[in-house]
Amino acid sequence: SSGINAEYGEESDEGTGQDGEESDASTDNEMLDKQEEERKQMQAVYLKEKGNDFFKQGKWEDAVECYTKGLQCDALNAVLFANRAMALIKLQKYAAAIADCDCSIELDDGYTKAYLRRATAHLKLEHKVEALADFRKVLEFEPENKLALGTVRKLEVELAPPVQYKPRKEGDITHMKRTLPPSDKPMVRIQIHDIRNDEYDIRPASRTTQAKSVAETPTNVKFETLPTRVPANYLQFQTDFRKLKSNPEALFKYIKQIDPDIYPKLFQDSLEADQLFIILDILNKFYVPAKLPVYNELHYLTKVKRFDMAVMFKTEAQQLTISQLVHYAAENASCKVGILKLVKAYDIMDLSKYELPDMSDEVETAS
């Protein structure tokens, strides 16, 4: 009995020793795996920041490469997929951008920027139904998002089914059907009398009578005057802009009195795409013919938050307007580097037409 117990005890001790060694080895492996995972995540964060720096410099391909390397370190990073999608949009690789946004949303279905960027890519490919769905999703998370609100309104109008007109056939009186419920009051018979034309004077009123009626018109009628104030905030600007946008000349005078350097403070993060392009159109149609400088206006617009998103929605006609403005600014520019920054900020692809001088030395030293 004691021998058996001793034997079992010995075997038990030996077994405990082996399990302990295996347990220690397993713990060491887990720690190493955890450390490696942390190292890869830190590397992914570094590559993301490096990609962001390339993106800000307009080096889209370098940014894509950094984001891709980051994903090799952290394949479950929704931000890296969304950031790479943004760079791919800049490179006009819209289908690839949509695929990256799909991955980002699959990893984090509440990531607003992924929906916003996928909507942008869909819009570039004329996938208006898909774009509308994504912009609506953005509004579920950010009900006050100006870009999404404005674009949803436009797309809903564009996608609304056309009203079908059916010509009425001769003798068809279906359009005369009663649309209101019948009245409970009893019907009254009305007697109709013939009237001779000479019983009433149906000649047009004389000039004297017309002049008298005009003279009797009340003089206290107030007519709405167009705003001329310098807006103190975006709400004032938006109110004035709505009144003036149908009157380009008045809008030109209104914009001209606003110092461009207050654009970032004035618009903050509320500048809508249609406002941006109307302002650029005013610069092109009024400033350029009058030989007024436009560099500061173009420059400070790029400093407004969400400018990058707003400028993405430009049409070919708006792209032409921007190209003409930048070309005009380049002809009168004292700062060559500033013009190159405008070209990048406004995402102008064809640089050959601007005949810009060699700026390599200046770009190298520019901060």
Side-chain angles (χ1 to χ4, degrees), residues 50-64 67 86-92 308 340-349 351 363:
K50 188 176 179 182
N52 291 348
D53 290 338
F54 280 130
F55 185 90
K56 292 174 184 177
Q57 297 171 34
K59 298 178 180 179
W60 322 125
E61 292 180 352
D62 291 334
V64 168
Y67 296 139
M86 191 67 181
L88 289 168
I89 289 172
K90 288 290 188 178
L91 292 169
Q92 300 184 4
D308 288 342
L340 185 59
K341 288 181 178 179
L342 287 183
V343 169
K344 291 182 178 179
Y346 285 92
D347 195 19
I348 300 173
M349 306 303 294
L351 304 183
V363 171

Side-chain angles (χ1 to χ4, degrees), residues 114-175:
Y115 289 103
L116 200 56
R117 290 165 188 177
R118 188 169 69 177
T120 301
H122 276 308
L123 210 54
K124 291 290 186 178
L125 293 173
E126 294 293 320
H127 300 164
K128 295 183 180 181
V129 175
E130 293 83 353
L132 178 58
D134 279 338
F135 278 120
R136 283 174 173 166
K137 194 71 177 178
V138 170
L139 292 177
E140 290 181 17
F141 299 110
E142 298 180 9
E144 302 300 321
N145 188 292
K146 301 288 185 181
L147 179 61
L149 283 169
T151 311
V152 164
R153 291 193 203 103
K154 291 178 182 178
L155 289 174
E156 285 178 342
V157 171
E158 292 178 16
L159 295 173
V163 178
Q164 295 183 352
Y165 170 73
K166 295 182 179 180
R168 183 166 60 88
K169 297 179 181 179
E170 187 175 354
D172 183 8
I173 60 170
T174 55
H175 66 292

